[in-house]
Every structure is written in structure tokens, then in C-alpha cells.
Amino acid sequence: MPTTSRPFLNKLPLRRAVSATLAAAGLLVASAPASAQRAEPHGGMLRFPDVSQDRIVFSYGNDLWTVERAGGVARPLASPPGQELFPKFSPDGQTIAFVGNYDGDRDLYLIDSFGGLAERLTYHPSNELLCDWAGDNRLLFSAGGRSHRPQPRQTRQLFFLDVDNPAQQEELPVPYGVNASLGED
């Protein structure tokens, strides 16, 4: 499929690289029968890719999938009933944080990068949005309705979460924020 038919993937060089890798992989589902033909998925369903040193994780059809960075067969990582979004590899590539919608709102989860059971990290009634890893053991995320400052309920704040102690959540000292990224300094 020509890349021009997937304009959303052509906006960033990383997305082009991910698109090319996924096209090379053919997204042949590992559990498909041996007689299954090579399938080219609709580009609109390949969402939120993140790249580690050797693999790519992405959301496809509301499930998480991984594929070798060099290409190959994409394999499902997490596919319980519900939606998985915004996967992010940990700095060492061994863990993936993501947003899951299983109980009516979006919470943060961790899963081993090769699969297994996901561990729920947040239980707040607002919808969390994962931004990225902030070091080896912390996640940067945004949520609404949790600030200690007086603000309208729809205002979203930025927080750190320690994955070893998820109850320890630290509000960042900025008035509001949603999609954030941190520099090394």
C-alpha cells in the first residue's frame, strides 16, 4: 500500500519508519491459521506507536501489539475486553506502560514487554492520560479534577507516579497541562 494512502502516518519521520516496519511485518496475526494470507491493515487502525531499541509497540483495533523493529510477525501483547492506548516502553525496554479502559474510565497500567497480566496503577475516577516515562521508575501523566489548587473540574494537571509505589503521586508545579514531555534538565 503506498504511504500516500495513510497521510496520518506521514506527519513525522518516526511515524514513516513505524509505518514501513509495520508494512514489512505484514501484521500477520500470530494466532491466525497457517493458511491465512498476508494482510495489509487499514492504516487508520495503527495508532500510538512507541519504539524501543529492538521492538515497536502500538495499538491496533483497541489492543496492544509488538513487532520486531526490523520487521516480522506482529504479536498481540494485551487484548482483554476494553481499550488499550498510548503504550510507552520503559527506558530499559522491559516494561510497557499504557492507558487501559476496562472499568468505565481510563487508568494507567504496566505490562511486561513480552506479555502477561497487566498491573493496574491508578484508581481515580478521572481519566488519566499517559505522557511518558520520567526516568526508570516514574511515569508522567495528566488527569483532571485532582489538583489541590482551586480550578474548574475540567482543568487537567500533570503528575508523576512512582511505579514501585503507585499511591505516591506528585503534582507538578504548573497550573495545567495535558500532553507533556520532559527534557533531561
Side-chain angles (χ1 to χ4, degrees):
M1 177 182 289
T3 56
T4 56
S5 67
R6 295 178 273 178
F8 78 99
L9 288 173
N10 293 329
K11 292 182 181 174
L12 299 171
L14 173 61
R15 287 193 176 165
R16 277 194 290 266
V18 170
S19 174
T21 301
L22 294 175
L27 267 180
L28 183 63
V29 178
S31 61
S35 63
Q37 294 183 358
R38 198 175 155 115
E40 182 102 13
H42 183 274
M45 293 183 68
L46 304 174
R47 301 167 64 199
F48 316 116
D50 192 44
V51 182
S52 75
Q53 251 183 309
D54 58 347
R55 290 184 296 140
I56 299 170
V57 63
F58 58 95
S59 178
Y60 175 78
N62 291 329
D63 292 330
L64 295 182
W65 294 75
T66 61
V67 66
E68 294 297 317
R69 192 171 178 168
V73 176
R75 301 192 186 283
L77 180 66
S79 58
Q83 184 180 48
E84 293 88 33
L85 304 166
F86 310 113
K88 300 285 184 183
F89 279 105
S90 61
D92 65 5
Q94 298 302 307
T95 307
I96 297 172
F98 67 96
V99 174
N101 187 348
Y102 306 125
D103 296 323
D105 71 22
R106 295 178 178 175
D107 289 295
L108 300 180
Y109 290 81
L110 286 182
I111 192 167
D112 185 272
S113 65
F114 291 98
L117 293 176
E119 174 189 358
R120 186 174 179 176
L121 298 175
T122 59
Y123 292 86
H124 194 269
S126 69
N127 289 322
E128 285 84 19
L129 175 66
L130 178 62
C131 299
D132 206 352
W133 286 84
D136 291 336
N137 290 332
R138 294 193 318 166
L139 296 174
L140 175 63
F141 72 98
S142 69
R146 299 176 61 177
S147 177
H148 299 292
R149 299 179 204 123
Q151 294 178 341
R153 181 155 172 81
Q154 65 272 20
T155 300
R156 296 186 67 85
Q157 291 292 128
L158 293 169
F159 297 87
F160 286 125
L161 176 141
D162 183 334
V163 297
D164 294 326
N165 187 3
Q168 293 287 27
Q169 297 174 14
E170 174 188 345
E171 182 178 347
L172 271 69
V174 294
Y176 51 84
V178 179
N179 294 323
S181 181
L182 298 175
E184 290 184 24
D185 60 348

